[in-house]
Amino acid sequence: TKIVALGVVTALVAYSWRDTFAPESLQGAKVLVTGASTGIGEQMAYHYARFGAQIVITARRENVLREVVERCLELGAQSAIYIAADMSNTSDPERVVRFAVEELGGLDYLVLNHIGPSPFTMWNGDVEHTRWLMQVNFLSYLQMTSAAMPHLEKSAGSIVVVSSLLGKMCSPFVAPYSATKFSLNGFFGTMQHELAMQRKNVSLTISILGLIDTQSALEKIRGYTDMKAYPASEAALHIIKAGATRQRESFYPLYTYFACLIRDWFPFFRDLVIQNSYNFEP
Ligand code: NDP
């Protein structure tokens, strides 16, 4: 009986993870990607471009955004434009959504990916940095969602929130960052219930990522751990597919799924493993 049950569970998991992604569904799709000047956001812009989407990208650095837009057009984007904005400025999130909706004539995908820089260090009591980071990594996501929602309801569109294993499990050196990611999971997880209960045809995907080989991530962990980092381009494609297939929650790489499943089984050993995976001398 146990073997049959295990077989059924495995089959169900495999069925729910089958690749139902149809690349043509993104042809001409109206997409806004945040944090797209570097890292995973930049790679998402290139994938959307290859699928022939109409893209608006945003981040702070105009000169870098200009280059990403040029590359998107070379790769086959139906259109690509940028808007420079700073998400720590409380009026910029709405301004960016307004710009994207006007330029694209609507919106199909709101891809929330940006993060502000935050030191990889034990918390030093700096509350102001956490307050600032909450605006950039969390509150701006809410502002953009609120501004985009009427347009996404019209298009039966999608919100994609890029989150982290550090929004599911606590780890040292990243208290402010982790707080913003736990906030995202809590807020948007609640919103998933509410969208379903109101029968709104807007999908909301939360992507949980493990360590990805972006320059900013690798620079932070250097000297602290030699954990394997996974490719940004693959992570970006994973997120896009999860959004396009309207998944609730997606995990990349796969170990993050199992980490979340067994997170609370043996807390003592979990914490021992986490603490011993970093080099640190008090
Ligand atoms: P990067 O640091 O490479 O990129 C961050 C992006 O956000 C850049 O485009 C940056 O551009 C932009 N940005 C920074 N500050 C602001 C601001 N104040 N206003 C507007 N835009 C800003 O991040 P990653 O690609 O590594 O991460 C992308 C996402 O993936 C994040 O949500 C992150 O939490 C998540 N993730 C990443 C992991 C990893 O290991 N890399 C692991 C787990 C999750 P600019 O400087 O031009 O403004």
Side-chain angles (χ1 to χ4, degrees), residues 9-209:
V9 170
T10 312
L12 282 174
V13 170
Y15 181 75
S16 64
W17 283 349
R18 74 202 186 285
D19 194 348
T20 54
F21 173 59
E24 60 281 6
S25 69
L26 294 177
Q27 179 79 38
K30 298 165 179 173
V31 183
L32 168 58
V33 185
T34 72
S37 62
T38 50
I40 299 165
E42 177 188 1
Q43 296 304 318
M44 284 199 278
Y46 297 151
H47 285 302
Y48 278 121
R50 288 187 194 98
F51 293 128
Q54 306 180 64
I55 314 164
V56 174
I57 59 169
T58 187
R60 289 168 306 176
R61 287 169 300 159
E62 199 162 349
N63 55 332
V64 192
L65 287 170
R66 194 174 302 126
E67 284 171 24
V68 176
V69 155
E70 275 168 25
R71 180 94 183 103
C72 284
L73 291 170
E74 284 165 17
L75 288 171
Q78 218 173 78
S79 66
I81 45 175
Y82 69 84
I83 173 169
D86 185 340
M87 295 298 167
S88 69
N89 178 343
T90 51
S91 60
D92 274 13
E94 280 103 357
R95 180 172 68 85
V96 168
V97 172
R98 254 195 331 270
F99 173 84
V101 169
E102 272 165 27
E103 293 292 327
L104 298 171
L107 193 65
D108 296 311
Y109 287 93
L110 172 64
V111 184
L112 297 169
N113 163 79
H114 62 275
I115 45 166
S118 189
F120 193 81
T121 175
M122 288 203 177
W123 192 56
N124 59 6
D126 184 353
V127 178
E128 268 321 300
H129 171 68
T130 309
R131 199 190 310 279
W132 176 85
L133 201 66
M134 278 304 236
Q135 167 59 33
V136 177
N137 291 11
F138 174 60
L139 292 172
S140 71
Y141 280 42
L142 274 49
Q143 291 180 287
M144 295 188 84
T145 298
S146 170
M149 193 52 92
H151 308 284
L152 294 171
E153 282 188 49
K154 263 188 218 152
S155 63
S158 304
I159 303 163
V160 179
V161 175
V162 181
S163 189
S164 167
L165 190 56
L166 297 173
K168 291 274 197 181
M169 279 168 80
C170 299
S171 197
F173 309 114
V174 284
Y177 171 79
S178 190
T180 66
K181 291 298 183 184
F182 267 83
S183 300
L184 285 178
N185 289 340
F187 187 90
F188 285 99
T190 299
M191 207 169 145
Q192 285 175 329
H193 285 302
E194 295 181 358
L195 287 172
M197 290 165 77
Q198 295 173 96
R199 294 186 171 68
K200 287 201 176 155
N201 196 7
V202 174
S203 73
L204 203 173
T205 300
I206 303 175
S207 289
I208 307 296
L209 305 183

Side-chain angles (χ1 to χ4, degrees), residues 205-271:
T205 300
I206 303 175
S207 289
I208 307 296
L209 305 183
L211 183 62
I212 308 299
D213 67 359
T214 61
Q215 197 185 340
S216 66
L218 295 185
E219 271 170 14
K220 274 182 198 156
I221 60 153
R222 191 171 301 136
Y224 282 96
T225 177
D226 48 15
M227 216 180 281
K228 178 176 162 56
Y230 288 77
S233 174
E234 246 180 51
L237 186 58
H238 163 91
I239 298 164
I240 288 173
K241 286 183 175 184
T245 51
R246 302 174 89 84
Q247 291 174 41
R248 257 189 91 258
E249 206 170 30
S250 82
F251 296 85
Y252 177 88
L254 197 54
Y255 79 79
T256 59
Y257 176 67
F258 293 104
C260 289
L261 272 188
I262 63 171
R263 181 185 68 174
D264 297 327
W265 288 6
F266 309 104
F268 174 78
F269 291 106
R270 175 198 63 204
D271 291 351

